[in-house]
Amino acid sequence: MSKDTRISMAVVRRLPKYHRYLGELLRNDIDRISSKELSDRIGFTASQIRQDLNCFGDFGQQGYGYNVKELHNEISKILGLDKQYNTIIIGAGNIGQAVANYSSFEKYGFHLKAIFDKNPKLVGIKIRDIEIQDVDELSSYLDNNKVDIAIICVPRLHAQSVADILVSKGIKGIWNFAPTDLQVPDDVIIENVHLSESLMTLSYRLNERNLFED
Amino acid sequence: MSKDTRISMAVVRRLPKYHRYLGELLRNDIDRISSKELSDRIGFTASQIRQDLNCFGDFGQQGYGYNVKELHNEISKILGLDKQYNTIIIGAGNIGQAVANYSSFEKYGFHLKAIFDKNPKLVGIKIRDIEIQDVDELSSYLDNNKVDIAIICVPRLHAQSVADILVSKGIKGIWNFAPTDLQVPDDVIIENVHLSESLMTLSYRLNERNLFED
């Protein structure tokens, strides 16, 4: 694929939302839906929806709309949810444990295989039948096991050194919860969840009115 | 403030990142920085940085750059971090407990005042000295206490009914971790953290190359 055919991140970030809404329609036994009806539910314009989906193929039919099950399947495939992923968590603090306990990720094909922490009080404890290992074992674990996605939940100051180990062992996907921007080669994909930044965006918007009235 | 002077969400979402980088500079005793140097660190172009900051005022000086402490303070104020917020959490499952334990939010002015859950096994348990209350107490708590931000961590199916209670009691800020889009009046601000969608975005990007080579 050339760089030019890459889909914009704005479109990509809307895909999981389509997937979620179509999943809800399926659960409600709705077989087909017009782009207008889908638009009313999801809150994007009908033309936006058609444009987004056109990036990936020719879905829907004039006068019929979308076959919900078919479109849900197609978007699942586009999102890579038809595949299986071995995941590991590094950092079994609050957020690491919360993510580890999210068993619903399994149904999308994300299988938690190992958890690492450096705290001796946590090492040996089991979360969902997975024993927390000493982070010193991380390198050798990666030598001996196929890992698709590593989830970084360590404090900010340790995140880059963990990322360096992951990259050196060939990990290409990192889900990063540490509040820092990791430096990695171009072929490694990082998806950040910066909770503090999300909370600050909320406080900004709560204060926005005052800001410009002062 | 008229609608027209509202800052675009793309700019708003970059503000916490400026705040974080300037905070790191401060910790490293760096007093001033040019927009070029800031650009090298943060990864936005210097002109982007100038444009973003110009939305809020006249920062920085030709030939001097930015005074780090001053700019950090100003961005703190813009983000509303000079104020104090009473927060409550509804839903003390995995993610609710993780957020409750994030004591670092306190330093930005977000004070956790109460936690609610409907699980009798959790009610009465303390997290950071805050006793989990029965969610049936939520309405009367809101009648008697000032709450600025409510954090929804309940399962999808219960999220809207919790939001309805919050809205009826005048809550204007909701940080929503439930994987659903809440329906609220226009004057209520919702900030979503949809973890599944973030993970799906990562799997999309891991598969993007194959998608267009097939």
Side-chain angles (χ1 to χ4, degrees):
Chain A
M1 184 182 65
S2 80
K3 272 260 179 191
D4 307 291
T5 63
R6 199 164 282 179
I7 307 299
S8 89
M9 278 310 292
V11 177
V12 172
R13 292 204 178 277
R14 283 193 289 271
L15 291 175
K17 201 166 170 178
Y18 290 118
H19 186 265
R20 175 156 55 84
Y21 274 84
L22 291 163
E24 279 177 26
L25 292 172
L26 272 184
R27 278 194 295 275
N28 293 319
D29 292 320
I30 296 172
D31 294 333
R32 72 180 205 184
I33 191 163
S34 67
S35 54
K36 168 79 176 64
E37 285 168 303
L38 190 57
S39 157
D40 288 343
R41 286 176 183 250
I42 205 167
F44 308 146
T45 64
S47 95
Q48 171 86 83
I49 292 176
R50 281 190 298 267
Q51 245 176 56
D52 284 351
L53 298 178
N54 276 343
C55 296
F56 300 97
D58 197 10
F59 307 113
Q61 251 179 282
Q62 191 80 39
Y64 175 90
Y66 298 106
N67 177 314
V68 173
K69 193 173 177 183
E70 217 174 87
L71 187 56
H72 186 259
N73 281 346
E74 288 298 329
I75 292 181
S76 293
K77 271 189 230 168
I78 291 167
L79 286 169
L81 302 181
D82 56 336
K83 300 195 173 66
Q84 306 298 312
Y85 302 89
N86 289 340
T87 73
I88 61 169
I89 291 174
I90 305 100
N94 299 315
I95 195 73
Q97 289 189 28
V99 173
N101 276 309
Y102 251 79
S103 54
S104 62
F105 294 149
E106 300 277 335
K107 73 169 182 245
Y108 299 121
F110 302 97
H111 304 290
L112 181 60
K113 295 295 185 179
I115 309 171
F116 299 88
D117 201 283
K118 66 168 203 168
N119 183 345
K121 286 181 189 160
L122 290 174
V123 172
I125 289 177
K126 281 188 177 180
I127 302 180
R128 289 208 287 131
D129 275 340
I130 298 166
E131 201 173 293
I132 299 173
Q133 300 178 56
D134 194 302
V135 74
D136 289 343
E137 307 293 326
L138 177 61
S139 285
S140 71
Y141 180 89
L142 293 171
D143 285 335
N144 296 302
N145 296 276
K146 179 179 171 290
V147 172
D148 304 294
I149 293 172
I151 306 170
I152 297 185
C153 301
V154 301
R156 181 175 57 84
L157 287 173
H158 301 293
Q160 185 62 52
S161 62
V162 168
D164 291 343
I165 296 173
L166 297 170
V167 167
S168 76
K169 297 296 178 182
I171 301 295
K172 298 296 181 210
I174 296 178
W175 200 20
N176 175 44
F177 285 79
T180 189
D181 294 318
L182 302 169
Q183 306 302 318
V184 298
D186 282 347
D187 66 336
V188 177
I189 314 261
I190 303 243
E191 168 75 11
N192 291 308
V193 180
H194 287 165
L195 292 182
S196 297
E197 299 192 9
S198 172
L199 186 53
M200 288 179 190
T201 302
L202 177 57
S203 69
Y204 169 84
R205 292 172 65 203
L206 282 171
N207 287 287
E208 196 179 33
R209 197 157 298 147
N210 305 331
L211 204 62
F212 290 92
E213 272 172 1
D214 276 354
Chain B
M1 185 181 64
S2 79
K3 271 262 179 191
D4 307 293
T5 63
R6 199 163 281 179
I7 307 299
S8 89
M9 279 309 293
V11 177
V12 172
R13 293 204 178 278
R14 283 194 288 272
L15 290 174
K17 200 165 171 180
Y18 289 118
H19 185 265
R20 175 157 55 84
Y21 274 83
L22 290 163
E24 279 176 26
L25 292 171
L26 272 183
R27 278 195 296 275
N28 293 321
D29 293 320
I30 296 172
D31 294 334
R32 70 179 206 184
I33 192 163
S34 68
S35 53
K36 168 79 175 65
E37 285 168 303
L38 189 57
S39 156
D40 289 343
R41 285 176 184 251
I42 205 167
F44 309 145
T45 65
S47 98
Q48 172 85 82
I49 293 175
R50 281 190 298 266
Q51 245 176 54
D52 285 351
L53 298 179
N54 276 344
C55 297
F56 299 96
D58 197 9
F59 308 113
Q61 251 178 284
Q62 191 80 39
Y64 176 89
Y66 298 106
N67 177 313
V68 173
K69 193 172 176 185
E70 218 173 86
L71 187 57
H72 187 258
N73 281 346
E74 289 296 330
I75 293 181
S76 292
K77 271 190 229 167
I78 293 168
L79 287 169
L81 303 180
D82 56 335
K83 300 195 173 66
Q84 306 297 313
Y85 301 89
N86 289 340
T87 72
I88 61 170
I89 291 175
I90 305 100
N94 299 316
I95 195 72
Q97 289 188 27
V99 173
N101 276 310
Y102 251 79
S103 55
S104 62
F105 293 150
E106 300 278 335
K107 73 170 182 245
Y108 299 120
F110 302 96
H111 304 290
L112 182 60
K113 295 295 183 176
I115 308 172
F116 299 88
D117 202 284
K118 66 168 203 166
N119 184 345
K121 286 181 188 159
L122 291 174
V123 173
I125 289 177
K126 281 187 178 182
I127 302 180
R128 287 207 290 129
D129 275 338
I130 298 166
E131 200 174 295
I132 300 174
Q133 301 178 57
D134 193 301
V135 74
D136 289 344
E137 307 292 326
L138 177 60
S139 285
S140 70
Y141 180 89
L142 294 171
D143 285 336
N144 296 303
N145 295 276
K146 181 180 169 288
V147 172
D148 303 295
I149 293 172
I151 306 171
I152 297 184
C153 301
V154 301
R156 180 175 57 84
L157 287 174
H158 301 294
Q160 184 62 53
S161 61
V162 168
D164 291 344
I165 296 173
L166 297 170
V167 167
S168 76
K169 298 297 179 183
I171 301 297
K172 298 297 182 211
I174 296 177
W175 200 21
N176 175 45
F177 285 79
T180 189
D181 294 317
L182 301 170
Q183 306 302 318
V184 297
D186 283 347
D187 66 337
V188 177
I189 314 262
I190 303 243
E191 169 74 12
N192 290 308
V193 179
H194 287 164
L195 292 182
S196 297
E197 299 192 7
S198 172
L199 186 54
M200 288 179 190
T201 303
L202 177 58
S203 69
Y204 169 85
R205 292 173 65 204
L206 283 170
N207 286 287
E208 196 178 32
R209 197 158 298 147
N210 305 332
L211 205 63
F212 290 92
E213 272 172 1
D214 277 353

